Amino acid sequence: MEKELLQVKDLQMVFENKKRSFTAVDNLSFSIQRGKTLGIVGESGSGKTMASLSVMGLLPNQGRISAGEIIFEGKDLRKCSEAEMNKIRGSEMSMIFQDSMMSLDQVYTVGYQISEAILAHEKLSRQEAKSRALSLIGAVGIPHPDRVYDSYPFELSGGMCQRIMIAIALSCNPKLLFADEPTTALDVTVQAQILDLLKDMQKKYQMGIVLITHDLGVVSEIADNVIVLYAGQSMEIGSTEVIMHNPSHPYTSGLMKAIPKVGEKKDMLYSIDGMVPDIRHMPKGCRFCTRCPLADDRCREEQPQMREIEPGHFARCHKAVPQAKGGC
Ligand SMILES: Nc1ncnc2c1ncn2[C@@H]1O[C@H](COP(=O)(O)OP(=O)(O)O)[C@@H](O)[C@H]1O
Ligand SMILES: [Mg+2]
Protein backbone atom coordinates (compact mmCIF):
# COMPACT_ATOMS: atom_id res chain seq x y z
CA MET A 1 0.00 0.00 0.00
CA GLU A 2 1.23 3.50 -0.79
CA LYS A 3 2.19 5.60 2.17
CA GLU A 4 -0.38 8.24 3.13
CA LEU A 5 0.77 11.84 3.19
CA LEU A 6 -2.25 12.98 5.14
CA GLN A 7 -4.83 10.97 7.01
CA VAL A 8 -7.89 12.62 8.52
CA LYS A 9 -9.99 10.37 10.71
CA ASP A 10 -13.46 11.20 12.04
CA LEU A 11 -12.80 14.93 12.08
CA GLN A 12 -15.39 16.98 13.87
CA MET A 13 -15.25 20.75 13.90
CA VAL A 14 -17.65 22.99 15.80
CA PHE A 15 -18.51 26.63 16.23
CA GLU A 16 -19.29 27.57 19.78
CA ASN A 17 -21.03 30.44 21.48
CA LYS A 18 -21.67 30.77 25.21
CA LYS A 19 -24.72 28.55 25.09
CA ARG A 20 -24.32 25.96 22.37
CA SER A 21 -22.06 24.39 19.84
CA PHE A 22 -22.88 23.76 16.19
CA THR A 23 -21.18 21.14 14.09
CA ALA A 24 -19.78 22.44 10.79
CA VAL A 25 -17.72 19.34 9.91
CA ASP A 26 -19.09 16.02 11.09
CA ASN A 27 -17.12 12.78 11.21
CA LEU A 28 -15.12 13.45 8.09
CA SER A 29 -12.42 10.99 7.07
CA PHE A 30 -10.12 11.11 4.10
CA SER A 31 -6.56 10.47 3.09
CA ILE A 32 -4.20 11.60 0.39
CA GLN A 33 -0.92 10.39 -1.05
CA ARG A 34 1.98 12.26 -2.62
CA GLY A 35 1.42 13.14 -6.25
CA LYS A 36 -2.35 12.57 -5.99
CA THR A 37 -5.30 14.93 -6.02
CA LEU A 38 -8.35 14.66 -3.81
CA GLY A 39 -11.36 16.73 -4.85
CA ILE A 40 -13.68 17.96 -2.12
CA VAL A 41 -16.87 19.11 -3.76
CA GLY A 42 -20.08 20.59 -2.42
CA GLU A 43 -22.17 23.73 -2.56
CA SER A 44 -21.39 26.83 -0.59
CA GLY A 45 -21.89 26.22 3.14
CA SER A 46 -21.03 22.49 2.99
CA GLY A 47 -17.97 22.81 5.25
CA LYS A 48 -15.22 22.56 2.63
CA THR A 49 -13.25 25.57 3.83
CA MET A 50 -13.62 24.66 7.53
CA ALA A 51 -12.40 21.12 6.84
CA SER A 52 -9.23 22.44 5.21
CA LEU A 53 -8.66 25.19 7.78
CA SER A 54 -8.94 22.48 10.47
CA VAL A 55 -6.04 20.59 8.91
CA MET A 56 -4.03 23.78 8.42
CA GLY A 57 -4.62 24.77 12.05
CA LEU A 58 -6.09 28.09 10.94
CA LEU A 59 -9.68 27.99 12.20
CA PRO A 60 -11.42 31.27 13.03
CA ASN A 61 -11.78 32.24 16.69
CA GLN A 62 -15.07 30.61 17.63
CA GLY A 63 -14.23 27.44 15.74
CA ARG A 64 -12.42 24.42 17.17
CA ILE A 65 -11.77 20.77 16.42
CA SER A 66 -13.82 18.71 18.86
CA ALA A 67 -12.84 15.21 17.76
CA GLY A 68 -10.78 13.24 15.29
CA GLU A 69 -7.23 12.70 14.20
CA ILE A 70 -5.12 14.56 11.66
CA ILE A 71 -1.96 12.67 10.80
CA PHE A 72 0.47 14.37 8.43
CA GLU A 73 3.57 12.34 7.50
CA GLY A 74 3.04 10.23 10.59
CA LYS A 75 2.80 13.28 12.88
CA ASP A 76 -0.38 13.96 14.87
CA LEU A 77 -1.09 17.62 14.04
CA ARG A 78 -3.60 18.03 16.86
CA LYS A 79 -0.74 17.51 19.31
CA CYS A 80 1.55 20.09 17.64
CA SER A 81 2.22 23.45 19.28
CA GLU A 82 1.42 26.68 17.44
CA ALA A 83 5.15 27.11 16.72
CA GLU A 84 5.38 23.60 15.23
CA MET A 85 2.27 24.22 13.12
CA ASN A 86 3.77 27.49 11.88
CA LYS A 87 6.85 25.62 10.79
CA ILE A 88 4.85 22.90 9.02
CA ARG A 89 2.70 25.52 7.27
CA GLY A 90 5.76 27.38 6.09
CA SER A 91 7.62 24.37 4.82
CA GLU A 92 5.48 21.34 4.11
CA MET A 93 1.84 22.29 3.84
CA SER A 94 0.41 25.29 2.11
CA MET A 95 -2.92 26.73 1.02
CA ILE A 96 -4.36 28.86 -1.74
CA PHE A 97 -7.16 30.57 0.16
CA GLN A 98 -10.65 31.18 -1.14
CA ASP A 99 -10.77 34.81 -2.40
CA SER A 100 -7.01 34.73 -2.16
CA MET A 101 -6.65 37.32 -4.89
CA MET A 102 -8.10 39.82 -2.44
CA SER A 103 -5.39 38.92 0.01
CA LEU A 104 -2.65 40.28 -2.23
CA ASP A 105 -1.59 43.59 -0.76
CA GLN A 106 -2.26 46.39 -3.26
CA VAL A 107 0.47 48.58 -1.73
CA TYR A 108 3.40 46.27 -2.52
CA THR A 109 4.66 44.86 -5.80
CA VAL A 110 3.89 41.19 -6.37
CA GLY A 111 7.62 40.44 -6.53
CA TYR A 112 8.11 41.92 -3.08
CA GLN A 113 5.24 39.81 -1.73
CA ILE A 114 6.63 36.57 -3.16
CA SER A 115 10.11 37.41 -1.83
CA GLU A 116 8.64 38.07 1.62
CA ALA A 117 6.89 34.68 1.54
CA ILE A 118 10.23 33.02 0.70
CA LEU A 119 12.13 34.95 3.38
CA ALA A 120 9.50 34.03 5.99
CA HIS A 121 10.67 30.42 6.00
CA GLU A 122 14.18 30.42 4.60
CA LYS A 123 17.38 32.15 5.56
CA LEU A 124 18.36 33.78 2.27
CA SER A 125 19.65 37.21 1.28
CA ARG A 126 17.12 39.55 -0.34
CA GLN A 127 18.93 39.10 -3.65
CA GLU A 128 18.71 35.30 -3.42
CA ALA A 129 15.02 35.55 -2.51
CA LYS A 130 14.47 37.78 -5.52
CA SER A 131 16.05 35.33 -7.92
CA ARG A 132 13.96 32.48 -6.42
CA ALA A 133 10.85 34.67 -6.78
CA LEU A 134 11.69 35.37 -10.42
CA SER A 135 12.05 31.69 -11.18
CA LEU A 136 8.76 30.95 -9.40
CA ILE A 137 7.00 33.63 -11.46
CA GLY A 138 8.39 31.95 -14.57
CA ALA A 139 7.39 28.51 -13.25
CA VAL A 140 3.74 29.52 -12.87
CA GLY A 141 3.68 30.40 -16.55
CA ILE A 142 4.01 34.17 -16.49
CA PRO A 143 6.08 35.61 -19.35
CA HIS A 144 8.63 38.37 -18.59
CA PRO A 145 9.00 37.59 -14.85
CA ASP A 146 11.27 40.61 -14.31
CA ARG A 147 8.61 42.99 -15.58
CA VAL A 148 5.84 41.35 -13.55
CA TYR A 149 8.06 41.27 -10.45
CA ASP A 150 7.79 45.06 -10.25
CA SER A 151 4.05 45.22 -10.94
CA TYR A 152 1.36 46.00 -8.40
CA PRO A 153 -1.60 43.58 -8.13
CA PHE A 154 -4.05 46.13 -9.57
CA GLU A 155 -1.97 46.26 -12.75
CA LEU A 156 -2.48 42.53 -13.37
CA SER A 157 -5.47 40.48 -14.59
CA GLY A 158 -7.39 38.11 -12.28
CA GLY A 159 -5.74 35.07 -13.86
CA MET A 160 -2.31 36.62 -13.43
CA CYS A 161 -2.99 37.44 -9.75
CA GLN A 162 -4.14 33.85 -9.19
CA ARG A 163 -0.86 32.61 -10.68
CA ILE A 164 0.98 34.90 -8.25
CA MET A 165 -1.03 33.41 -5.37
CA ILE A 166 -0.06 29.94 -6.55
CA ALA A 167 3.60 31.05 -6.70
CA ILE A 168 3.31 32.26 -3.10
CA ALA A 169 1.70 28.98 -2.01
CA LEU A 170 4.44 27.02 -3.76
CA SER A 171 7.26 29.20 -2.44
CA CYS A 172 7.92 26.75 0.39
CA ASN A 173 7.90 23.76 -1.98
CA PRO A 174 5.05 22.08 -0.06
CA LYS A 175 4.34 18.37 0.03
CA LEU A 176 0.64 19.10 0.43
CA LEU A 177 -1.33 21.95 -1.11
CA PHE A 178 -4.91 22.91 -0.28
CA ALA A 179 -6.44 24.85 -3.15
CA ASP A 180 -9.74 26.38 -2.00
CA GLU A 181 -11.86 27.33 -5.03
CA PRO A 182 -8.72 28.37 -6.94
CA THR A 183 -10.54 29.01 -10.21
CA THR A 184 -13.97 30.21 -9.14
CA ALA A 185 -13.44 33.89 -9.87
CA LEU A 186 -11.90 33.22 -13.29
CA ASP A 187 -13.38 32.82 -16.74
CA VAL A 188 -13.48 29.37 -18.31
CA THR A 189 -10.32 29.66 -20.42
CA VAL A 190 -8.20 30.98 -17.57
CA GLN A 191 -9.77 28.37 -15.29
CA ALA A 192 -8.48 25.62 -17.58
CA GLN A 193 -5.01 27.21 -17.66
CA ILE A 194 -4.83 27.37 -13.87
CA LEU A 195 -5.89 23.71 -13.55
CA ASP A 196 -3.21 22.76 -16.08
CA LEU A 197 -0.70 24.76 -14.09
CA LEU A 198 -1.62 22.93 -10.88
CA LYS A 199 -1.26 19.59 -12.70
CA ASP A 200 2.17 20.61 -14.04
CA MET A 201 3.33 21.77 -10.63
CA GLN A 202 2.09 18.55 -9.10
CA LYS A 203 4.08 16.49 -11.56
CA LYS A 204 7.18 18.56 -10.97
CA TYR A 205 7.06 18.58 -7.18
CA GLN A 206 5.04 15.38 -6.49
CA MET A 207 2.68 17.36 -4.28
CA GLY A 208 -0.50 16.00 -2.85
CA ILE A 209 -3.31 18.41 -3.72
CA VAL A 210 -6.65 18.83 -1.99
CA LEU A 211 -8.78 20.69 -4.51
CA ILE A 212 -11.86 22.31 -3.08
CA THR A 213 -14.65 23.40 -5.38
CA HIS A 214 -18.42 23.63 -5.78
CA ASP A 215 -18.04 22.52 -9.41
CA LEU A 216 -17.92 18.79 -10.06
CA GLY A 217 -16.71 19.63 -13.58
CA VAL A 218 -13.49 21.10 -12.16
CA VAL A 219 -12.96 18.01 -10.02
CA SER A 220 -13.36 15.71 -13.01
CA GLU A 221 -10.48 17.54 -14.74
CA ILE A 222 -7.87 16.98 -12.12
CA ALA A 223 -8.85 14.79 -9.15
CA ASP A 224 -8.00 11.11 -8.65
CA ASN A 225 -10.55 10.69 -5.88
CA VAL A 226 -13.59 12.67 -4.80
CA ILE A 227 -15.45 13.39 -1.59
CA VAL A 228 -18.89 14.90 -1.99
CA LEU A 229 -19.58 17.00 1.09
CA TYR A 230 -23.00 18.23 2.19
CA ALA A 231 -23.95 20.04 5.38
CA GLY A 232 -20.65 19.01 6.97
CA GLN A 233 -20.94 15.30 6.14
CA SER A 234 -19.44 13.25 3.35
CA MET A 235 -22.29 11.97 1.19
CA GLU A 236 -20.32 10.00 -1.37
CA ILE A 237 -16.68 8.93 -1.73
CA GLY A 238 -15.01 7.19 -4.62
CA SER A 239 -12.59 7.43 -7.50
CA THR A 240 -13.31 10.30 -9.90
CA GLU A 241 -14.18 7.75 -12.56
CA VAL A 242 -16.84 6.13 -10.35
CA ILE A 243 -18.27 9.39 -9.05
CA MET A 244 -18.57 10.89 -12.55
CA HIS A 245 -19.93 7.79 -14.28
CA ASN A 246 -21.71 5.95 -11.54
CA PRO A 247 -22.94 8.43 -8.93
CA SER A 248 -25.03 6.77 -6.26
CA HIS A 249 -26.15 9.65 -4.10
CA PRO A 250 -28.97 11.90 -5.32
CA TYR A 251 -26.94 14.94 -4.20
CA THR A 252 -24.04 13.91 -6.43
CA SER A 253 -26.48 13.46 -9.32
CA GLY A 254 -27.77 17.00 -8.65
CA LEU A 255 -24.23 18.37 -8.72
CA MET A 256 -23.63 16.53 -12.00
CA LYS A 257 -26.62 18.24 -13.59
CA ALA A 258 -25.29 21.59 -12.36
CA ILE A 259 -21.96 21.27 -14.24
CA PRO A 260 -21.89 24.18 -16.69
CA LYS A 261 -22.04 22.99 -20.32
CA VAL A 262 -20.03 24.64 -23.07
CA GLY A 263 -21.95 27.58 -24.50
CA GLU A 264 -24.61 27.48 -21.78
CA LYS A 265 -25.79 30.89 -20.61
CA LYS A 266 -25.36 31.63 -16.89
CA ASP A 267 -29.09 32.18 -16.31
CA MET A 268 -29.88 28.79 -17.90
CA LEU A 269 -27.68 26.86 -15.44
CA TYR A 270 -29.39 24.09 -13.50
CA SER A 271 -29.20 24.31 -9.74
CA ILE A 272 -30.66 22.02 -7.08
CA ASP A 273 -33.78 23.57 -5.55
CA GLY A 274 -33.34 24.94 -2.04
CA MET A 275 -30.21 25.58 0.01
CA VAL A 276 -27.67 23.79 2.20
CA PRO A 277 -29.19 23.78 5.72
CA ASP A 278 -27.78 26.17 8.29
CA ILE A 279 -25.55 24.45 10.86
CA ARG A 280 -27.95 25.67 13.57
CA HIS A 281 -30.95 23.93 11.96
CA MET A 282 -29.96 20.56 10.59
CA PRO A 283 -32.75 18.18 9.48
CA LYS A 284 -33.32 15.18 11.75
CA GLY A 285 -32.84 12.33 9.26
CA CYS A 286 -30.67 12.53 6.17
CA ARG A 287 -29.28 16.03 5.89
CA PHE A 288 -30.20 16.14 2.21
CA CYS A 289 -33.81 14.97 2.74
CA THR A 290 -35.35 18.44 2.44
CA ARG A 291 -34.09 18.72 -1.16
CA CYS A 292 -33.94 15.12 -2.28
CA PRO A 293 -36.35 13.97 -5.01
CA LEU A 294 -36.23 10.41 -3.60
CA ALA A 295 -36.78 11.21 0.09
CA ASP A 296 -39.42 9.24 2.01
CA ASP A 297 -40.41 8.96 5.68
CA ARG A 298 -37.40 6.82 6.59
CA CYS A 299 -35.05 9.44 5.09
CA ARG A 300 -36.71 12.17 7.12
CA GLU A 301 -36.46 10.19 10.37
CA GLU A 302 -33.30 8.11 10.28
CA GLN A 303 -29.87 9.43 9.44
CA PRO A 304 -28.16 7.13 6.93
CA GLN A 305 -24.67 5.77 7.67
CA MET A 306 -21.90 5.69 5.12
CA ARG A 307 -22.07 2.33 3.32
CA GLU A 308 -19.63 0.68 0.95
CA ILE A 309 -21.83 -0.07 -2.03
CA GLU A 310 -19.04 -1.50 -4.15
CA PRO A 311 -15.30 -1.80 -3.43
CA GLY A 312 -13.89 1.67 -2.74
CA HIS A 313 -17.23 3.40 -3.39
CA PHE A 314 -19.16 4.71 -0.39
CA ALA A 315 -22.50 6.50 -0.15
CA ARG A 316 -24.54 7.88 2.74
CA CYS A 317 -28.02 7.15 1.39
CA HIS A 318 -30.69 4.64 2.37
CA LYS A 319 -31.51 4.13 -1.29
CA ALA A 320 -28.04 3.87 -2.78
CA VAL A 321 -27.52 0.74 -4.81
CA PRO A 322 -24.60 0.00 -7.12
CA GLN A 323 -25.56 0.92 -10.65
CA ALA A 324 -24.72 -1.24 -13.62
CA LYS A 325 -22.07 0.29 -15.84
CA GLY A 326 -23.64 1.49 -19.09
CA GLY A 327 -22.72 0.17 -22.55
CA CYS A 328 -20.99 -3.03 -23.54
N1 LIG B 1 -17.14 32.25 11.75
C1 LIG B 1 -18.22 31.44 11.67
N2 LIG B 1 -19.11 31.35 12.70
C2 LIG B 1 -20.18 30.50 12.63
N3 LIG B 1 -20.45 29.69 11.58
C3 LIG B 1 -19.61 29.76 10.53
C4 LIG B 1 -18.45 30.62 10.51
N4 LIG B 1 -17.79 30.44 9.32
C5 LIG B 1 -18.52 29.51 8.64
N5 LIG B 1 -19.59 29.10 9.36
C6 LIG B 1 -20.57 28.07 8.95
O1 LIG B 1 -19.90 26.83 8.80
C7 LIG B 1 -20.47 26.10 7.73
C8 LIG B 1 -19.38 25.65 6.78
O2 LIG B 1 -18.79 26.79 6.18
P1 LIG B 1 -17.63 26.70 5.09
O3 LIG B 1 -16.63 25.70 5.50
O4 LIG B 1 -17.15 28.09 4.84
O5 LIG B 1 -18.42 26.17 3.79
P2 LIG B 1 -17.91 26.07 2.28
O6 LIG B 1 -16.46 26.36 2.24
O7 LIG B 1 -18.25 24.68 1.86
O8 LIG B 1 -18.72 27.09 1.53
C9 LIG B 1 -21.53 27.00 7.09
O9 LIG B 1 -22.79 26.63 7.56
C10 LIG B 1 -21.16 28.38 7.59
O10 LIG B 1 -22.31 29.19 7.71
MG1 LIG C 1 -15.48 27.86 1.22
Side-chain angles (χ1 to χ4, degrees):
M1 215 176 100
E2 271 180 272
K3 207 167 154 251
E4 310 291 356
L5 180 62
L6 173 73
Q7 266 185 301
V8 173
K9 287 188 213 153
D10 302 323
L11 175 70
Q12 188 152 18
M13 182 259 145
V14 296
F15 281 104
E16 285 173 329
N17 61 27
K18 280 188 193 130
K19 291 189 191 140
R20 279 193 63 183
S21 85
F22 303 99
T23 308
V25 177
D26 191 15
N27 249 298
L28 182 68
S29 299
F30 61 88
S31 61
I32 179 157
Q33 293 149 2
R34 278 205 94 148
K36 298 279 186 207
T37 299
L38 172 72
I40 301 187
V41 62
E43 294 162 291
S44 181
S46 297
K48 306 181 298 293
T49 296
M50 292 309 141
S52 40
L53 294 181
S54 298
V55 178
M56 293 288 293
L58 291 174
L59 285 172
N61 277 341
Q62 306 87 344
R64 71 174 183 90
I65 296 172
S66 50
E69 274 181 53
I70 303 171
I71 313 290
F72 177 69
E73 296 239 284
K75 194 183 270 178
D76 185 347
L77 295 192
R78 287 193 68 196
K79 296 206 176 108
C80 286
S81 67
E82 194 45 39
E84 285 171 309
M85 278 311 288
N86 254 331
K87 200 161 165 230
I88 291 171
R89 279 194 297 264
S91 59
E92 297 178 71
M93 210 162 73
S94 166
M95 182 157 176
I96 304 168
F97 293 94
Q98 189 167 3
D99 299 324
S100 61
M101 282 183 267
M102 311 266 238
S103 65
L104 278 175
D105 199 325
Q106 299 295 329
V107 183
Y108 297 102
T109 64
V110 294
Y112 177 82
Q113 294 183 60
I114 302 173
S115 293
E116 282 298 295
I118 294 168
L119 289 169
H121 52 78
E122 259 183 88
K123 284 198 178 73
L124 296 175
S125 70
R126 197 153 270 288
Q127 197 49 43
E128 286 166 328
K130 178 171 180 177
S131 75
R132 274 276 293 283
L134 284 168
S135 71
L136 267 171
I137 296 174
V140 295
I142 296 178
H144 311 297
D146 41 348
R147 227 182 287 162
V148 170
Y149 187 94
D150 290 320
S151 303
Y152 291 89
F154 61 82
E155 296 176 307
L156 303 175
S157 67
M160 209 71 127
C161 285
Q162 191 61 315
R163 283 172 195 266
I164 297 293
M165 290 312 302
I166 293 172
I168 290 175
L170 296 181
S171 65
C172 67
N173 198 359
K175 293 176 183 159
L176 177 64
L177 176 72
F178 283 89
D180 193 356
E181 308 266 9
T183 61
T184 300
L186 306 171
D187 70 48
V188 180
T189 324
V190 185
Q191 199 169 334
Q193 290 168 0
I194 295 292
L195 290 180
D196 282 344
L197 170 64
L198 284 175
K199 276 191 246 176
D200 286 349
M201 293 290 139
Q202 178 171 53
K203 231 188 242 161
K204 201 160 158 190
Y205 299 114
Q206 278 300 298
M207 282 182 300
I209 298 182
V210 179
L211 178 82
I212 293 162
T213 172
H214 63 277
D215 183 348
L216 203 44
V218 167
V219 153
S220 70
E221 294 281 324
I222 174 167
D224 299 289
N225 295 297
V226 179
I227 293 187
V228 178
L229 200 62
Y230 184 81
Q233 289 181 332
S234 49
M235 292 287 146
E236 187 159 4
I237 300 176
S239 67
T240 306
E241 159 91 14
V242 156
I243 297 287
M244 297 308 289
H245 296 110
N246 227 359
S248 285
H249 198 289
Y251 181 54
T252 315
S253 307
L255 290 177
M256 295 275 289
K257 278 211 247 172
I259 296 175
K261 316 275 176 316
V262 178
E264 197 170 39
K265 293 208 181 87
K266 266 216 156 115
D267 54 357
M268 300 288 284
L269 273 182
Y270 171 85
S271 68
I272 309 167
D273 268 348
M275 277 162 64
V276 179
D278 188 289
I279 49 173
R280 285 160 297 185
H281 305 285
M282 286 297 177
K284 182 177 170 205
C286 171
R287 294 197 170 166
F288 187 55
C289 72
T290 51
R291 304 168 74 190
C292 181
L294 306 181
D296 60 16
D297 287 347
R298 182 182 178 203
C299 305
R300 283 182 279 273
E301 285 299 319
E302 186 190 323
Q303 197 173 105
Q305 299 300 310
M306 210 48 160
R307 283 188 297 134
E308 189 165 22
I309 52 172
E310 58 188 320
H313 182 191
F314 299 80
R316 189 191 292 277
C317 175
H318 292 307
K319 306 197 174 226
V321 279
Q323 290 163 17
K325 286 212 164 146
C328 53

